[in-house]
């Protein structure tokens, strides 16, 4: 029998790989959910894969999870990684066995942090700068808000899991661009946020807090994202000494929420114009968790230990910075998607791909790839190729199936 303590990770994408590797090195036996063929399932540090009968957003998933945990009392720790699992656990904790450790901030902190409208109010109370913003429900209200706020502006969804036309946010530098990019109200959105756009790079602050006090932190300047317009997921960044203002704002937010656990707070920073705007707080692991892990913050351990004992003695560590990361797969896919969505021209593609290769070669580390555990990195490309071949085969087979149903001869 394996005597290691069992940990179940809910959600299987980029950070799950880094978390699985780190927890395994700490002596845990790691179990992951499958989730779309998930990356961590291919890791040699993953001991077991749970093929859950439902996905996080499906009705009844947490009933299935409760039954699974009841059958497996040896699984003593549950770590929600992906946002849908983090929010779902906060909303369904009463269904789950109370004798397990759920490594996540409190339910109140999670639900508040993931409410972007409420977080604008929280930032205001905490004295954290945030660009002027309005919540809108119709196209007419978007136009009126834009007139009051001015350009450039950004239109943001209330949930990062619900993009607008495939984008995490829509940047409109002029009124003409706004009307060209958003011709009708996006499907699936009841409300949107219209906010003045702050020029300049995005800064991530990965942190851990204990009863409202920040005990670990690293600041990362995002150099490029997987969208040519600067929105999206970061594919290249550099950690740096913590800017004094971002340290203060992170501390204020943790205190305001009485935060215990790990998280990621993001800011837009324009040093030339001396402007900073709070963007969002994610009460979970960063998508690129390899960054704080390489910075020595021990967030994987702390997520569990703070949930187990919020009063445990912990040292305060702030990273001095100096590490650059890359995500080659995300970079290449970003070029493809940016071209498809008209963010870039074909003439710009070679330079963008060369930049992706150069960053991959010169980075201090990669968010997925590791020589001692190569399969997760390889599986990103093989899964994409497999899906593309299936899609092509499906398109090729559709006319034949239609001809068969109509009793017509098939074209060859």
């Amino acid at each position: 029998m394996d005597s290691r303590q069992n940990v179940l990770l809910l959600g299987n994408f980029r950070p799950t790989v880094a978390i699985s590797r780190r927890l395994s090195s700490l002596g845990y036996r790691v179990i992951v959910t499958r989730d779309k063929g998930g990356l961590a399932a291919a890791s040699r540090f993953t001991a077991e894969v749970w093929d859950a009968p439902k996905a996080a957003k499906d009705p009844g998933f947490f009933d299935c999870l409760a039954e699974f945990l009841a059958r497996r009392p040896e699984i003593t720790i549950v770590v929600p990684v992906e946002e849908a699992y983090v929010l779902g656990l906060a909303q369904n904790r009463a269904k789950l066995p109370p004798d397990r450790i759920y490594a996540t901030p409190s339910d109140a902190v999670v639900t508040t942090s993931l409410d972007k409208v409420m977080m604008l109010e929280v930032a205001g109370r905490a004295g954290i700068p945030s660009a002027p913003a309005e919540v809108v429900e119709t196209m007419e209200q978007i136009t009126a808000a834009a007139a009051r706020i001015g350009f450039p502006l950004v239109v943001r969804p209330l949930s990062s899991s619900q993009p607008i036309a495939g984008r995490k946010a829509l940047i409109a530098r002029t009124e003409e661009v706004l009307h060209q990019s958003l011709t009708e109200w996006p499907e699936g959105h009841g409300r949107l946020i219209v906010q003045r756009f702050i020029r300049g790079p995005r800064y991530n602050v990965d942190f851990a807090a204990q009863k409202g006090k920040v005990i670990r932190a690293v600041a990362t300047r995002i150099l490029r994202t997987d969208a040519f317009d600067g929105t999206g997921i970061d594919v290249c960044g550099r950690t740096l000494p913590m800017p004094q203002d971002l340290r203060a704002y992170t501390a204020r937010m943790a205190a305001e929420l009485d935060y215990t656990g790990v998280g990621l707070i993001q800011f837009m920073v324009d040093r030339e114009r001396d402007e900073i705007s709070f963007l969002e707080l994610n009460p979970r692991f960063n998508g690129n968790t390899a960054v704080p892990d390489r910075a020595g913050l021990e967030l994987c351990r702390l997520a569990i230990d703070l949930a187990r004992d919020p009063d445990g003695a912990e040292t305060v560590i702030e990273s001095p910075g100096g590490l650059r990361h890359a995500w080659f797969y995300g970079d290449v896919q970003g070029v493809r998607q940016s071209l498809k969505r008209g963010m870039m021209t074909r003439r710009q593609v070679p330079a963008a791909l060369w930049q992706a290769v150069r960053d991959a070669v010169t980075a201090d580390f990669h968010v997925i790839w590791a020589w001692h555990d190569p399969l997760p990195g390889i599986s990103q490309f093989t899964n994409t190729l497999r899906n593309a071949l299936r899609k092509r085969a499906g398109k090729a087979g559709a006319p034949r199936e239609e001809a068969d149903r109509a009793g017509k001869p098939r074209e060859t």
Side-chain angles (χ1 to χ4, degrees), residues 181-391:
S181 304
L182 202 61
T183 57
E184 60 183 14
W185 186 263
E187 185 178 353
H189 296 271
R191 296 185 298 168
L192 297 170
I193 297 174
V194 178
Q195 189 169 26
R196 186 163 64 82
F197 177 68
I198 301 298
R199 301 177 179 88
R202 186 168 77 217
Y203 281 68
N204 287 353
V205 177
D206 291 277
F207 71 95
Q210 185 175 27
K211 293 191 170 182
K213 177 185 176 182
V214 175
I215 58 173
R216 303 292 164 91
V218 59
T220 304
R221 175 173 173 162
I222 307 306
L223 302 178
R224 287 187 303 106
T225 72
D226 65 348
F228 202 63
D229 64 355
T231 61
I233 303 167
D234 71 276
V235 296
C236 183
R238 182 186 295 277
T239 62
L240 66 162
M242 183 69 70
Q244 185 174 349
D245 45 14
L246 300 190
R247 179 192 296 115
Y249 299 148
T250 303
R252 290 181 194 176
M253 184 64 79
E256 180 69 26
L257 294 172
D258 194 22
Y259 202 105
T260 295
V262 305
L264 168 70
I265 188 169
Q266 296 179 314
F267 303 90
M268 296 299 294
V269 180
D270 184 347
R271 293 299 184 194
E272 291 184 3
R273 296 175 178 81
D274 194 24
E275 290 183 314
I276 296 179
S277 179
F278 165 73
L279 186 59
E280 62 185 18
L281 189 156
N282 295 314
R284 55 174 172 80
F285 288 100
N286 182 357
N288 288 339
T289 292
V291 174
D293 186 61
R294 285 298 189 98
L297 264 58
E298 301 181 299
L299 297 191
C300 297
R301 176 189 68 79
L302 282 168
I304 295 173
D305 286 354
L306 289 172
R308 179 188 285 120
D309 180 12
D311 296 310
E314 295 288 350
T315 57
V316 176
I317 298 175
E318 186 176 280
S319 170
L323 295 174
R324 191 160 60 87
H325 71 270
W327 181 32
F328 182 64
Y329 170 83
D331 221 345
V332 172
Q333 286 292 96
V335 172
R336 185 175 72 86
Q337 290 297 327
S338 294
L339 178 63
K340 181 180 178 180
R341 293 169 183 159
M343 295 182 193
M344 64 191 309
T345 65
R346 291 186 180 276
R347 295 182 62 182
Q348 293 173 308
V349 170
L353 290 176
W354 171 243
Q355 182 71 55
V357 172
R358 185 167 58 182
D359 286 339
V361 171
T362 59
D364 295 301
F365 64 96
H366 293 249
V367 298
I368 291 289
W369 174 259
W371 288 106
H372 67 291
D373 187 30
L375 290 183
I378 294 172
S379 69
Q380 286 195 306
F381 289 95
T382 56
N383 287 344
T384 298
L385 179 60
R386 187 183 302 113
N387 292 336
L389 292 175
R390 286 175 180 169
K391 188 175 181 179

